[in-house]
Amino acid sequence: MKIDLRSDTVTKPTKEMQQAMWAAEVGDDVLGDDPTVNALQEKAAKLFGMEEALFCPSGTMTNQLAIRVHTQPGSDVICDKYSHIYLYEGGGIMLNALSSVKLLDGDRGRLTAEQVAGAISPLHDIHSTVTRLVSLENTMNKGGGCYYDFNEINAIKKVCNDKNIPLHLDGARLFNALVETGESPLEYGKAFDSISICLSKGLGCPVGSLLLGTHNVITKARRFRKVMGGGWRQAGFLAAAGIYALDHHVERLKEDHARARAIGNMFEHLPEIEEIFPVDTNIVIIRLAEGLSEVDYVNKLAQQGILAVTFGKNLVRFVTHLDFTDDHLHEMSRRIRQI
């Protein structure tokens, strides 16, 4: 039995999702007439109370489209130093939007309104970039799947409104936060000018992300999506998976969280573990004792059929998902004791 916890992107479509995909009515999305793509976009926009949505191949693309739309060359984007948009999107902020970054040191990646207010560039300082976007990430990947207090998000939104700066959300794992907090997608739709949500992580789709925003934002993003080569044809087969996931795979995320906490407990008393990050959702990060190699440890795990990833010096990450069952959990517990 292989236990693959490298990411929640490794899932395969369920039989029910496959049936929904093959039953999909399709058209040509570049021409705007794929009915299933249109239905997914309308469903997501309505769910968050936003004007429109755009179906894209990846969360990197939806984030980068939002940044490109909101900024101008010579701008800066305020984000945490561990943000996905900065660390894991190939330098896209600089390459696609010709913009710089203001990197802040948040609490496990979560920013405060005070930090954001202090980082905004003086508007009339010709020596400085112009702050044109603030970006938050929820849940925070490098922070071990932690999520924001929504009151802080509202406080950050007020700062942005006062300075007329758009607020973007990298919500790749937003639904993981929502099932824990009980907050509504509609609340997030009111707080953010654009939102990126990923369908191919915890929701279990084979591919795809959505960018949500105003009509103006999505119209511009659609043009830039085409420029980036992101136009696709009979994408309704993929969009059908997204519709199925939004209908059937959201509440079950709580199961992934429970298994992640069990994994955290599994490592609790092992002598080679110096620290376990708080397990808030479906991500578990362990810090190895000083002198131990994260590469060697991941290799030892792989020898036991447990796949994980290195996540920085002495850090190893595990991510639970819908293909990781209680049987996998019990077997993992047995194998961990053999390392």
Side-chain angles (χ1 to χ4, degrees):
M1 176 191 292
K2 182 174 73 172
I3 300 171
D4 194 345
L5 295 170
R6 291 172 296 172
S7 177
D8 42 8
T9 61
V10 300
T11 59
K12 306 295 193 299
T14 64
K15 290 182 179 179
E16 294 79 9
M17 183 179 283
Q18 290 178 36
Q19 291 169 359
M21 292 169 68
W22 286 118
E25 183 182 357
V26 298
D28 189 321
D29 182 55
V30 171
L31 300 177
D33 64 8
D34 187 302
T36 309
V37 170
N38 293 339
L40 170 63
Q41 292 171 163
E42 291 165 9
K43 182 182 185 69
K46 183 179 180 181
L47 181 63
F48 283 84
M50 303 187 84
E51 291 181 2
E52 292 188 18
L54 181 66
F55 187 39
C56 295
S58 70
T60 292
M61 179 174 280
T62 48
N63 280 329
Q64 291 301 316
L65 287 174
I67 294 166
R68 181 65 182 86
V69 167
H70 288 306
T71 64
Q72 297 176 14
S75 305
D76 68 63
V77 179
I78 293 175
C79 61
D80 185 84
K81 66 182 183 181
Y82 291 130
S83 292
H84 192 281
I85 63 167
Y86 173 66
L87 286 182
Y88 296 120
E89 298 188 5
I93 297 172
M94 287 65 78
L95 182 64
N96 299 316
L98 301 178
S99 292
S100 185
V101 288
K102 288 278 190 69
L103 300 177
L104 304 183
D105 189 3
D107 170 27
R108 295 170 64 201
R110 296 167 296 190
L111 304 181
T112 66
E114 183 179 8
Q115 284 180 302
V116 171
I120 295 172
S121 299
L123 187 58
H124 301 295
D125 182 357
I126 63 172
H127 304 284
S128 175
T129 52
V130 178
T131 301
R132 295 198 182 275
L133 183 64
V134 175
S135 179
L136 309 181
E137 185 175 328
N138 199 25
T139 65
M140 185 67 187
N141 180 25
K142 289 287 282 188
C146 62
Y147 47 83
Y148 271 87
D149 180 330
F150 197 73
N151 291 325
E152 196 64 52
I153 289 177
N154 280 331
I156 294 171
K157 177 62 174 175
K158 185 178 185 307
V159 170
C160 291
N161 284 346
D162 290 346
K163 296 293 185 178
N164 197 30
I165 298 171
L167 181 60
H168 172 67
L169 177 65
D170 175 0
R173 295 184 174 91
L174 177 57
F175 287 103
N176 292 89
L178 293 177
V179 299
E180 286 296 317
T181 64
E183 290 152 358
S184 163
L186 292 173
E187 295 178 87
Y188 275 80
K190 292 176 182 176
F192 290 90
D193 296 281
S194 56
I195 298 175
S196 165
I197 56 173
C198 194
L199 301 171
S200 61
K201 292 188 170 71
L203 298 185
C205 293
V207 67
S209 290
L210 288 156
L211 178 64
L212 303 100
T214 63
H215 171 74
N216 186 48
V217 165
I218 299 304
T219 297
K220 291 180 179 178
R222 189 181 301 277
R223 174 177 289 275
F224 288 128
R225 184 188 70 167
K226 176 66 174 176
V227 171
M228 291 179 179
W232 42 13
R233 303 299 177 178
Q234 287 72 36
F237 294 115
L238 298 172
I243 293 173
Y244 183 88
L246 290 173
D247 287 339
H248 299 283
H249 286 175
V250 174
E251 286 302 314
R252 64 147 307 280
L253 291 171
K254 295 176 182 177
E255 300 173 20
D256 296 343
H257 301 175
R259 292 181 184 119
R261 287 190 283 271
I263 291 173
N265 293 336
M266 201 181 292
F267 286 101
E268 197 167 11
H269 301 296
L270 297 183
E272 67 269 25
I273 308 303
E274 180 178 299
E275 179 189 3
I276 303 167
F277 284 33
V279 183
D280 296 319
T281 51
N282 69 324
I283 296 176
V284 183
I285 298 177
I286 60 172
R287 186 186 306 277
L288 301 172
E290 195 64 34
L292 295 181
S293 163
E294 67 277 4
V295 174
D296 289 346
Y297 195 76
V298 165
N299 288 338
K300 288 181 179 179
L301 288 169
Q303 290 170 10
Q304 294 293 332
I306 302 170
L307 303 184
V309 296
T310 60
F311 217 49
K313 180 176 171 52
N314 298 119
L315 298 178
V316 176
R317 188 192 74 168
F318 307 82
V319 186
T320 57
H321 48 77
L322 64 80
D323 284 350
F324 178 73
T325 66
D326 285 337
D327 287 342
H328 291 100
L329 181 66
H330 296 147
E331 179 63 16
M332 180 178 177
S333 179
R334 186 189 69 80
R335 294 181 189 181
I336 286 293
R337 293 193 294 269
Q338 298 178 9
I339 296 177

